[in-house]
Amino acid sequence: MRAFLFPGQGSQSVGMGKALADASAVAREVFGEVDEALGQHLFRLMIEGPEDDLKLTENAQPAIMANALAVFLVLTQDGGVDLEKAVQFVAGHSLGEYSALAAAGTFDLATTARLLKLRGQAMQRAVPVGEGAMAALLGADLDLAQRIAATAAEGEVCEVANDNDPSQVVISGHKGAIDRAIALAKDMGAKRALALPVSAPFHCSLMQPAADAMAEALCMVDLATPAVSLYANVTAAATADPDTIRDQLVQQVTGMVRWRESIANMTAEGVSEFVELGGKVLGPMVKRISPEAKVVSVVTIEDIEAIAKELA
């Protein structure tokens, strides 16, 4: 069994998508459609920068999705790969869940781009710049991360945001609480704690205004049943019910990304191969969760041609 995976924020880089667009008309159409849907020259920003503008949440989220969907559609349209025959599940890390749903046909490309633009803007507005922060706890499992967060909170928000793999958990919340967590993490048993260069504290209760905005937006959108089941971030379980998916996308804004459990549960269901489309971020996490799994990262036209021969 096989699953397609789609990366989240942090996987963006200036130049992303250029070589693929040069090689494929399908990719060029994807980037053009996203530009048109957003009314901005996002693809130009992706290939030329500046990096600081690309890193802005409202730009990074649709850009990462556009790049991943370009890879997916080149694979399926040019490469002749049938999603339903190739994989049993799709999953995405945070915003990557929208990419996964677009690949599975729940949203069309333009709708996905507009939802992610709104999601990025709403997340940025939810907490004034400088009031929130995030940190990665290395050499810490979920239990230790939760204890560190609880100790550091002192009445402020300090919560686990991403349970990425057995050795990397991300916490999120008020800047003071995150600073305290970084200071005490090593003494409590973590190998290292690193402040993350983010502009807002994602996936914690401070994001409730953004969750409310997404609830309102998603109520206005029709969701089709995905062609294959989605492994959802907030439950680490598979679903193909559109109403359930809608609710989970809202919960995801404030909820923990249960990535470690998602991969472990897919592995337990018999998935032995994970294919990351549009990035090389998730593969190493997967190997730390399921060392026996086969992991393939598909980014370039050469990567696409190689995996298409295997899957078509």
Side-chain angles (χ1 to χ4, degrees):
M1 294 175 69
R2 186 183 295 109
F4 278 171
L5 307 180
F6 296 84
Q9 199 156 337
S11 59
Q12 74 278 353
S13 61
V14 173
M16 64 191 297
K18 183 180 186 304
L20 191 59
D22 289 343
S24 169
V26 170
R28 292 194 293 275
E29 288 170 11
V30 170
F31 296 128
E33 186 174 343
V34 169
D35 278 3
E36 185 176 348
L38 299 181
Q40 73 174 105
H41 296 296
L42 182 65
F43 186 51
R44 187 166 70 194
L45 176 61
M46 290 165 63
I47 61 176
E48 296 178 2
E51 185 178 0
D52 285 347
D53 287 352
L54 181 59
K55 283 195 302 188
L56 291 173
T57 302
E58 67 175 85
N59 293 327
Q61 294 199 21
I64 292 164
M65 181 279 298
N67 188 60
L69 262 291
V71 171
F72 172 77
L73 289 170
V74 173
L75 178 63
T76 53
Q77 294 184 21
D78 287 347
V81 173
D82 184 320
L83 174 69
E84 293 180 67
K85 292 179 181 176
V87 303
Q88 284 68 49
F89 302 108
V90 293
H93 192 282
S94 189
L95 80 89
E97 199 154 79
Y98 285 80
S99 307
L101 288 166
T106 295
F107 300 120
D108 62 40
L109 182 61
T111 299
T112 311
R114 287 191 288 265
L115 284 170
L116 284 174
K117 184 76 172 180
L118 172 66
R119 185 177 182 269
Q121 291 170 334
M123 286 178 149
Q124 195 60 69
R125 286 196 303 264
V127 180
V129 173
E131 290 190 12
M134 300 180 75
L137 303 179
L138 306 181
D141 61 11
L142 178 60
D143 179 65
L144 176 57
Q146 288 173 328
R147 286 190 281 115
I148 291 170
T151 302
E154 296 184 11
E156 293 187 308
V157 171
C158 190
E159 299 165 1
V160 172
N162 304 340
D163 179 15
N164 283 334
D165 66 44
S167 64
Q168 184 196 109
V169 180
V170 175
I171 56 173
S172 181
H174 286 111
K175 186 177 185 306
I178 298 300
D179 288 344
R180 288 190 293 273
I182 291 171
L184 58 82
K186 200 166 183 180
D187 286 343
M188 289 188 68
K191 185 184 293 185
R192 197 175 174 199
L194 299 171
L196 297 179
V198 295
S199 55
F202 307 129
H203 297 291
C204 76
S205 54
L206 294 177
M207 287 286 111
Q208 188 58 49
D212 294 341
M214 292 312 297
E216 185 176 340
L218 285 161
C219 278
M220 307 298 290
V221 175
D222 289 329
L223 279 69
T225 301
V228 297
S229 292
L230 171 81
Y231 248 84
N233 285 181
V234 294
T235 60
T239 184
D241 176 67
D243 289 333
T244 301
I245 290 169
R246 192 194 313 271
D247 291 343
Q248 290 173 344
L249 288 173
V250 175
Q251 296 164 24
Q252 185 223 58
V253 178
T254 57
M256 178 173 68
V257 176
R258 296 168 63 180
W259 191 251
R260 175 187 57 81
E261 292 174 86
S262 294
I263 299 300
N265 290 346
M266 278 189 269
T267 301
E269 282 206 49
V271 176
S272 58
E273 181 176 353
F274 296 89
V275 180
E276 180 180 1
L277 299 175
K280 297 184 177 181
V281 176
L282 302 177
M285 293 183 195
V286 172
K287 290 298 284 185
R288 288 190 288 270
I289 300 162
S290 297
E292 301 304 313
K294 179 182 178 182
V295 177
V296 181
S297 293
V298 181
V299 177
T300 67
I301 192 70
E302 292 80 11
D303 295 337
I304 293 170
E305 289 169 351
I307 194 73
K309 289 178 183 175
E310 183 180 331
L311 300 182

